Amino acid sequence: LLLLLLSMTQLLKSKHPFHFMLLKCDWPGRQEDITPESMRMCVKEALQQLHGEVGSSTQVDVMHVAGDKVFVRVPSKQLLKLRTALSVYTVAGDDPIEFTTIKVSHSLSSLSYCPQQ
């Protein structure tokens, strides 16, 4: 827990204006509905549920969706807010949904993803 807090503190003190996140979206029965538009809606709803109207105004860009992988760009100062909102967001509409953070980086190129075999 202490290591997690220290790493998040380092991210918050980042000199980079944006961070990129690679997320895995598990949306049982709705996998074909994972599109950039639906993910934008889910992210906005997650932020609004946890942080209210001010939280939902956080600038988040869903840059790309590939299957169940979602690439997101967020201002570095808002990264913690987004991660906490997605961690507790469990229902989209009437369907269960789960976001898992795979990687976070200040560089988009470092988000290359190779699942372990």
Side-chain angles (χ1 to χ4, degrees), residues 67-82:
D68 63 351
K69 305 301 180 285
V70 182
F71 294 82
V72 175
R73 181 178 75 165
V74 62
S76 296
K77 292 182 179 182
Q78 303 298 320
L79 178 63
L80 185 57
K81 184 184 289 187
L82 178 61

Side-chain angles (χ1 to χ4, degrees), residues 35-78:
T35 63
E37 294 79 22
S38 66
M39 293 299 97
R40 279 186 201 97
M41 184 230 23
C42 288
V43 166
K44 184 173 179 143
E45 191 174 291
L47 285 163
Q48 185 171 14
Q49 280 182 2
L50 189 63
H51 301 289
E53 288 298 318
V54 173
S56 68
S57 67
T58 300
Q59 175 192 351
V60 177
D61 300 317
V62 176
M63 301 181 66
H64 182 68
V65 172
D68 63 351
K69 305 301 180 285
V70 182
F71 294 82
V72 175
R73 181 178 75 165
V74 62
S76 296
K77 292 182 179 182
Q78 303 298 320

